[in-house]
Structure formats: structure tokens, C-alpha cells
Amino acid sequence: MDTQHPSAGSAYGGAPAIPRKLTIPDVVGRKRDHRRITMMTAYDAAFAKLVDAAGIDVILVGDSLGMVVLGYPNTVPVTMDDMVRHAAAVSRGATRPLLVGDMPFGSYQTGPTDALRNAARFLKEAGMDAVKIEGGHETVDTVRALVENGIAVMAHVGLTPQRVAQLGGFKTQARTARAARRLIDDAVALEDAGAFSIVLESIPAPVAAIVTERLTIPTIGIGAGPDCDGQVLVLHDVLGLFGDFKPKFAKRYGEIGAAVVDALRAYDTDVREGHFPDEEHSFTMKETELAALRRAVAQPKAG
Ligand code: KIV
């Protein structure tokens, strides 16, 4: 892990080394150095802190927020205000990872001017380092405009969940030679437009391998096989916190949802049976104050 000392003059002073914040050139450089990139979603300060503590390189404040936190059936209803509020919370919780804010549906499709205004909110109001945009060739002009105006962009092709209605569901993309060729051309065009990395979602592993070989920017896979330069998953899928829908590509590394239900059942039982709160979790007062209080409440109320 890259580190820096908090004060320059303390090289011999035993100052604790703190992890250095990752930059966009760091992430791009990983591909050159053949070091895999890890990316995870987060939506609030508490989990962002935990993702940071785990040593993850990039936090994506994904518009998957809509499904796993806000309870929508898909990501379409998510607004810029939703995203900015949650992204700001994430940036208060994480210090080392690169932070990427996901542009929600409707925040960039109307053209570069709206895209610039909305992307700038992620940087100015929410402390994000970059934004992510779903789409292929149709987003190239927007990506170029953002990059030329100083906003780093992560592209996203393959299954683009904001188009779930058009795609007829959360389906694997680029399964024919023709569709795969189109996706590869889109990825190259997005790199040419200045994107610093690209998410490949739910596409055949061999197609992702070709894209990864063709591009000089890192590919970050989700359901795109092992040959991408990095991997991303949705936090709630990884932790077992989202039971409504589990994509085939999502690996569960914990069962936090079940642990939460167990803990809450124990609380529910303790309260119902009078075991909580006990002495340890209650406050006391001086005996003299309590005696005075008892005397006072024994008197008829004044007036
Ligand atoms: O919104 C999201 O979480 C994403 C990832 C699945 C890449 O876009």
C-alpha cells in the first residue's frame, strides 16, 4: 500500500504512516504495472470507512443506491440530489480510495451542458474525484466535454442498468460477434474521448479480455470474467444485505443480513422479557437527590 507521513520533518520521529489517497494516475498506472484494481460500491459514511479499512482502491457511489438502499425496483428513479447527498456522506467516511460518483439517469443524456453542471456537483458538493457515465458511442461527445473541462470520467458499457426497460431486463450483453464488435468499438471511442477507465458489465469473459487487451486505460469488470484490469461488485451483494435479487456474477463474502436479523431478534426478546435495559445500560443519580425528588413529588402540586 502507498503511504506518506503526516508531517514532512518526522522521518525519524516515529510518526505513524498514513495511507496516501489514490489518484487517477495511480489507478491508470496499475494497468501498466500489472496490478489489479479493486472497486466496491458504498453509499454512506459508515460503510465507506469500512471499505477504506479493507484496502479497496476505488469507491463507486453507484446509482445502485436506488435498488439496495432506496428500495426502487431499478436505478431509473434515482436523482442527482439523491446521489450528491450519499456521495457527500461517502467522502466524509473514506480517506484513501479514489471516489467516483455515478451520474444517474437523466443527468447527462440531455447533452454536455447538463452533464457538466451535474458532474460539477459531484466534485464541488460531494468531494468526488471523478464521475461514471453509462453508455457507448452516444456518450462520446459528453465524455469528451467533461474531460476537456477537467472532470475525470469512468465509462460503463455492456449491461447498462439505466436502460433496463429497453434491454428487456438485466441481461448479459454482447453475446453475438456483431454486438461484441460494436461494444469493442464503443470502448475504443470512449478511451479516445478521454475516459480514464471503463466498467464492463455482464458481458462474455472472452469479449472483456479483448477489450482489456485493446485499451490502454484499465477495464473494471462486473460479470465480465477474470481478465479485466480490476473488479467491482455491489457492496450489499457482497455482504448478503440485499436479498431481493442476486446476479449470477455477484459473489457473497459475508452474511451480514442474517447477522442483523439475529441481533435484532435478540433485542426484541430482551425488551419483551424485561432483560433490557439492565443496570449496566441505565443511569443513576445521587441518593440525596433522589430522596429530595421523592419528597417533592409526594407534596401536592403548587398552584
Ligand atoms: O451503480 C452501480 O453500482 C454500478 C456498478 C454495478 C458498476 O454501476
Side-chain angles (χ1 to χ4, degrees), residues 144-155:
R144 187 174 294 110
L146 292 180
V147 174
E148 281 175 357
N149 284 284
I151 299 177
V153 179
M154 178 178 278

Side-chain angles (χ1 to χ4, degrees), residues 26-180:
D26 290 333
V27 170
V28 176
R30 290 287 176 86
K31 180 167 182 132
R32 196 186 45 238
D33 300 341
H34 304 290
R35 291 170 64 198
R36 287 209 174 88
I37 299 157
T38 56
M39 180 159 108
M40 184 56 56
T41 67
Y43 315 95
D44 63 28
F47 273 113
K49 207 169 186 167
L50 298 174
V51 173
D52 187 349
I56 301 286
D57 298 321
V58 184
I59 294 184
L60 170 67
V61 186
D63 66 350
S64 47
L65 166 82
M67 296 175 75
V68 300
V69 175
L70 301 181
Y72 294 125
N74 56 54
T75 60
V76 173
V78 177
T79 65
M80 263 317 287
D81 285 346
D82 292 333
M83 292 304 301
V84 167
R85 176 167 291 247
H86 284 268
V90 165
S91 73
R92 288 191 288 270
T95 54
R96 176 182 170 269
L98 186 80
L99 303 178
V100 181
D102 208 1
M103 300 283 284
F105 184 65
S107 68
Y108 58 92
Q109 287 88 346
T110 46
T113 307
D114 283 343
L116 259 171
R117 186 180 328 108
N118 286 317
R121 288 191 65 192
F122 269 124
L123 275 62
K124 287 162 75 86
E125 297 174 43
M128 296 290 101
D129 302 306
V131 299
K132 179 169 82 59
I133 287 190
E134 287 186 14
H137 57 277
E138 74 283 1
T139 63
V140 160
D141 289 344
T142 298
V143 170
R144 187 174 294 110
L146 292 180
V147 174
E148 281 175 357
N149 284 284
I151 299 177
V153 179
M154 178 178 278
H156 181 161
V157 296
L159 172 58
T160 45
Q162 291 173 15
R163 288 175 179 256
V164 63
Q166 223 173 24
L167 300 175
F170 295 98
K171 293 181 179 161
T172 304
Q173 302 297 303
R175 296 187 101 153
T176 63
R178 200 156 159 225

